[in-house]
Amino acid sequence: MVTHLRSTGHVFIGVLAIVLTGIHPPDSLAADTTAPAQKPKAQAEAKAKTGKAKSQTTEPAGKTKACFGVAPKIEKVSPDEGKAGDKVTITGTNFGTAECLRSVSFGPGHSATFTMESATKISATVPSGGRKGLAILTVTTASGEDSKPFLVK
């Protein structure tokens, strides 16, 4: 191939120009390093076995929820102290949708059970098994996290 490029330098310059401009070369010039695409026959066989076409996603493109945006902001935790099993209301902004809310925790490794009431209100239960004292209450979404101190009694 090197000999061919030396003898036909115009082919090399043409390929270099295509690469530099970002235009994809024709299949005859490009080396495909990706896995081979599934053949239509294989797709039909997959459909025959399962009754539906094989799909990589559960929702069509454009129908999925966008979870990225502004990080959440905790404005108030009520009450700001409690013992394991107590209910806590967290109010704030940018909590997003239920699909985008990732977790509520009372310190590292102490995930809480929670219910998203609205985009600005979450109800959580103080988890058991944590140590008593000051804990960091953290709300994590797909866009980030925010924390406030919480006293575990």
Side-chain angles (χ1 to χ4, degrees):
M1 174 110 177
V2 173
T3 306
H4 178 71
L5 289 176
R6 286 185 187 152
S7 65
T8 58
H10 65 280
V11 172
F12 177 74
I13 292 170
V15 171
L16 181 60
I18 290 170
V19 171
L20 291 176
T21 59
I23 300 171
H24 296 290
D27 291 337
S28 61
L29 296 176
D32 187 10
T33 58
T34 60
Q38 192 176 29
K39 303 287 185 204
K41 182 180 177 185
Q43 289 174 341
E45 288 172 0
K47 184 175 181 179
K49 287 180 186 175
T50 63
K52 17 183 180 167
K54 193 172 182 179
S55 174
Q56 295 294 328
T57 61
T58 57
E59 294 184 22
K63 299 281 185 183
T64 58
K65 298 271 185 197
C67 287
F68 297 99
V70 180
K73 177 70 178 151
I74 299 172
E75 293 174 352
K76 183 178 179 185
V77 178
S78 179
D80 61 357
E81 60 182 38
K83 61 185 187 311
D86 286 353
K87 299 283 184 192
V88 175
T89 301
I90 305 162
T91 54
T93 58
N94 303 319
F95 293 153
T97 62
E99 295 87 7
C100 300
L101 182 59
R102 300 293 187 239
S103 68
V104 175
S105 63
F106 288 77
H110 300 288
S111 295
T113 56
F114 62 93
T115 303
M116 184 166 197
E117 305 290 334
S118 69
T120 60
K121 184 177 175 184
I122 301 168
S123 297
T125 303
V126 179
S128 60
R131 41 183 205 108
K132 294 179 181 179
L134 194 59
I136 302 298
L137 172 80
T138 304
V139 172
T140 304
T141 69
S143 300
E145 64 183 33
D146 193 26
S147 302
K148 291 280 188 198
F150 184 86
L151 180 62
V152 180
K153 293 183 175 181

